Each structure stands twice: as C-alpha cells, then as structure tokens.
Amino acid sequence: MECVFGLVGKGFAIVAADTSAVNSILVHKSNEDKVMVLDSHKLLGASGEPGDRVQFTEYIQKNVHLYQFRNGIPLTTAATANFTRGELATALRKNPYSVNILLAGYDKGVGPSMYYIDYIATMHKIEKGAFGYGSYFCLSMMDRLYHPDMSIEEAIELIDKCIIEIRTRLVVAPPNFVIKIVDEDGAREYAWRESIKSPDVSMA
Amino acid sequence: MLLLLFRLSFLSFFPSLSLSQHFAPTGTKPHQRISVSLNFKQRKQREEKRRMMMKLDTSGLESFSAAVPSAMAAAEDQLFAPPSFDLPAGCADFDKFQMEAKQTLKHAKGTTTLAFIFNQGVIVAADSRASMGGYISSQSVKKIIEINPYMLGTMAGGAADCQFWHRNLGIKCRLHELANKRRISVTGASKLLANILYSYRGMGLSIGTMIAGWDEKGPGLYYVDSEGGRLKGNRFSVGSGSPYAYGVLDNGYRPDMTVDEAHELARRAIYHATFRDGASGGVVSVYHVGPNGWKKLSGDDVSELHYKYYPVQPTPVEHEMVDAPPA
C-alpha cells in the first residue's frame, strides 16, 4: 500500500513516496509527508506501521543532529546508513520496528548515494530501489529504463512514469506523491504529484 | 438378570474422549515410568479404561466379573460408567477460548467522533453510546474529555484507557505550564500522548483519540491512536461510525463556514453515523474551540433529531374502504 522508491542520478539522488495515511479502509489524510529531511544533505524515505515510522525516523534524525552538535561535523551517508541499520538490528530480536527505509544523501567528494534498509535490518547500497506494493511495478520499469548518470529531467521523467504505472495498475493506488531531491545544494522538496486535492484550509 | 436389563435401559452411548490423559506425562523418559505388575483382571480393566476414560475403577469393589463369565464384562463397562458429557466447546483449548471471549467483549472502537478545523476555530462532536459486543451498556457516556480550558480530547476505543490517559495528559500539560510559565501547544500535548501510547504499544491499550485545541499558532487538531500513530490534519473522524460521518462531513465542509453552520454540519454528520452504525447512538454533543477556549454548543438526543430532520408525514391510507356505490 505504501510506496517509496528512488534512484541515483548524476550528482543527485531522488526519493519519492506516496502521501496517504490509511487505517484499514479509511484514508485519514492524503498529504502525509513520509520523506524526512535528516539534515542538510540527507533524505530518509520510510514506509511501515505509522507509530514505528514516525518514532524511528525521528529518533534517527535526532541522533544525526546530536552527532553534528557533539563533533562539529556531519555524519556521512554511509555512516548514517550503518547507524540506522545497527539500531534496527539491535531492536530486531527484542522490540522490532516495522519500517522500511530508503536513505539518500550527498557527500562532498563521494557524490550521491542511496541505501536500502529493510525492516529486518538488511542493508544494501543501491542505485535504484523501491518498497511496498508499488515496487512490483516500479522495480522492473527502473531496471529497464534506468541508466547511470541520468540528468534531473530524465530522472523525474522516470519517476513520473513509475507513479503513472502505480496509479494505473495498483488496485488501492495512493492518489498523491511527494518527490524530494538531494544534491550538492542540499536536500529539499522537489514536487508534489497530486491527483486529489482536498479543499482544506492551508496546511501548516 | 432383570436388574441388568433395567439398568441397561437407562444407559446411552457416550463417545469416547481424547486419550491424552492416559499416556505417560510428557517429559518422562521410559525408564522413569513406574512399571506395575498386573494380574489378568487388573490388566483387562486397564484396557477398558483406555477405551472409556470415565469408567470407574471397580477393582476394589466386589464386582460382577468375579462371578460372571467374561461375556458379561462388556456390559459391565457400560453399567458402571458414570454419566459423562462432552467437554463444552472451546474448553479443549482454554487459552484460545479466553482470547476469543475477550475479543467479542472488546469495544473495537464502537463509537463515532469527529473534529474539524475551519476559519473560526475547531468543532468537536461525538455520540454517547457505549457497547459491549451486542449489548448497549450506556447511552450517556461523555466522550469529549476536557483536558484543560482550551484543549479537548475525544474518546474512542476503551473507555477506561481514554479517560485515564487523557486525565494523565491534563496533568502533564499543567506541569508543563507551571515549569515553563506558558501554555503547552496542541502539537506538544499530542506528542506527549503519542509517545506515552507508543511505549505501551502491543500491550492491549485501545485508544483512538483526537486532540483539538487553540494555541499561539491558532487552531490545532491531531489524531493519536494506541498503535502509536499521530497525524496532523484538518478533518478527522474516528470510530466504527466514522466512514458514515466522513461521507456527510466531507460533502458539506467549507473552510469559511460560520460557527452555526459548522455546528449544524457536525451534528448532522454524527446523527447520520448513529443512524447507520449500531454501535453509535445516544446523544450528540458538539463543542467549539475558539481563541478563548472551548464551549459546549449543544447536546441533542439522536432519536429526537431524527424526527426533526425527517418529520412524520401523514401518509394516506392505501386502500380506503369505501361503501359500494349505491346501485
């Protein structure tokens, strides 16, 4: 149900996630941001049980900030990924977190990188990946259409193709998606892809 | 002989029960089991025991089989078998039965509550029925809990859980005020509650609540549940009747409603949910949270509301009896 996917391009990495918060048959809201900005140059896209997702990602975010406060320099993406995986692994046999994570970051000198971290603390460094029911459709598309060092336009085109495929083929397709990008200028929101706009007062 | 037949006529055949009790207790090794040397009669009776568990051990009594040939031994089993019953359903596995019994009595969030933000503040509304499975235990439950004069919480799920933890949240909010010399924000209060509920995750708390209030940033509304989820939003409905309420609420909602229009929308949404959902009913309470705190707007019985919205129409009798026209 919850789709998170992403890829690494030339000098940037993109993470996209759906934005619906669902409880059995009810959609509580369609603009829930599931891609967290960990720090200036890192993105954490997470899917899983609602309580676990928020609590675990906030825990990782605070620890990343704490490292920077204590040591004056930010963690690298690889170090963050290994820390995250370590926390999931420690909790696994006691009080497991049901969260799947795509961690993307940009490091000076190394460039962009993306890590796939499973709910059972599997970790892989990847160029493209996806979680959730959407992965059944996205992974093969990305395998077919991805090539290393894609430009931003090509990458966004591929992401949009994945979103359209999910909307077409998934029976309980989430209507809205958020796309975030991280490159040498930092981590920021790139776009929303909304097919249902709710007539609300502006969200804080 | 006559006595035997008389007795036999009272007996009925009972199916044999599971034999697990007659095997050696699990965990004993063969050499640990005590071996007993038996004579022919005792061995035979032990065999019968294995076939029909509830048979009395008559080896100590003066029995038929001593005087009577073995052909009658079969009848003897049935004669001396006390009446036995099937174990009641569910007792073969008592733990599973307990779990199932608990499930039927579980509230499963049988209620309808809703809250929404609009330009003039927050409206919070709820029904007042408490049900246990198919039994309505109360029609007058207060499901909107006053945490402090500017914050409200709604109750869905376990009544005791909601009341206790909201009261606890009120205490924590007051402590925050005293420690920091300023009121706690709705964001902060909902995060306090969400963290507490997260730490009790998996232990059986059942809470689906909305925290609504007015703080320095304006109106605030959060949905918090016992699975640890916390959502910020503008419109929520929680409980078994929530899909019905969402239908009416989503349709009539406009951000620029007046307080009266919003009041009527909330009341109507809860009424329609109580009409269709069996676990919701009683009285609709509607509160409004403005910049100066909350105020209770109304409390209407849903059955009276029904006749107000759908008054009884005088229906013409379909087939009126008229006299036959005179020939």
Side-chain angles (χ1 to χ4, degrees), chain A residues 23 30 35 37 42 55 83 95 106 112 117 134 149 153 156 169 176 179 198:
Chain A
N23 190 348
S30 311
V35 184
V37 175
K42 285 187 206 35
Q55 295 279 350
F83 169 69
N95 185 13
Y106 184 94
I117 305 171
D149 291 335
E153 291 76 27
I156 293 292
R169 291 296 181 187
N176 301 340
I179 304 174
S198 43

Side-chain angles (χ1 to χ4, degrees), chain B residues 108-124:
Chain B
K109 308 210 176 115
T111 185
T112 312
T113 59
L114 64 84
F116 58 88
I117 295 180
F118 66 122
N119 287 346
Q120 314 272 4
V122 199
I123 295 280
V124 184

Side-chain angles (χ1 to χ4, degrees), chain A residues 45-176:
Chain A
S47 73
E49 289 205 24
D52 280 345
R53 174 171 60 77
V54 172
Q55 295 279 350
F56 184 71
T57 54
E58 283 186 2
Y59 172 70
I60 298 296
Q61 185 192 49
K62 300 312 172 205
N63 273 288
V64 166
H65 289 174
L66 182 62
Y67 183 92
Q68 181 157 9
F69 291 145
R70 277 187 177 151
N71 301 290
I73 53 163
L75 275 169
T76 60
T77 310
T80 313
N82 278 287
F83 169 69
T84 308
R85 191 213 90 88
E87 289 302 308
L88 280 171
T90 313
L92 180 63
R93 304 282 182 188
K94 291 178 193 138
N95 185 13
Y97 296 104
S98 316
V99 212
N100 296 314
I101 283 170
L102 270 185
L103 174 67
Y106 184 94
D107 304 302
K108 256 209 304 229
V110 176
S113 49
M114 180 174 283
Y115 289 84
Y116 165 109
I117 305 171
D118 218 334
Y119 72 103
I120 39 178
T122 316
M123 187 177 80
H124 293 295
K125 184 167 188 300
I126 51 166
E127 303 290 302
K128 52 190 177 353
F131 279 113
Y133 285 130
S135 69
Y136 288 99
F137 310 105
C138 297
L139 283 173
S140 55
M141 280 185 76
M142 288 200 278
D143 288 339
R144 172 72 183 86
L145 298 170
Y146 176 86
H147 57 87
D149 291 335
M150 291 171 90
S151 68
I152 293 196
E153 291 76 27
E154 290 176 315
I156 293 292
E157 209 186 297
L158 176 53
I159 295 278
D160 277 331
K161 282 187 177 151
C162 292
I163 291 176
I164 289 170
E165 185 65 15
I166 292 173
R167 281 192 184 142
T168 315
R169 291 296 181 187
L170 185 55
V171 61
V172 274
N176 301 340

Side-chain angles (χ1 to χ4, degrees), chain B residues 36-47 59:
Chain B
V36 180
S37 59
L38 303 164
N39 64 22
F40 171 80
K41 189 181 89 178
Q42 283 170 323
R43 235 186 297 140
K44 193 139 198 312
Q45 278 179 342
R46 196 166 264 224
E47 275 168 33
S59 53

Side-chain angles (χ1 to χ4, degrees), chain B residues 114-125 144-154 183 186 210-215 218-221 259 262-263 286-297:
Chain B
L114 64 84
F116 58 88
I117 295 180
F118 66 122
N119 287 346
Q120 314 272 4
V122 199
I123 295 280
V124 184
I144 298 182
I145 297 158
E146 295 140 11
I147 298 171
N148 59 40
Y150 59 98
M151 242 195 307
L152 294 173
T154 59
R183 282 181 175 171
V186 183
M210 295 178 286
I211 306 291
W214 190 293
D215 58 25
L221 177 61
V259 176
H263 176 186
V286 186
Y287 284 65
H288 171 245
V289 187
N292 301 322
W294 56 258
K295 179 166 179 280
K296 180 161 180 176
L297 293 180

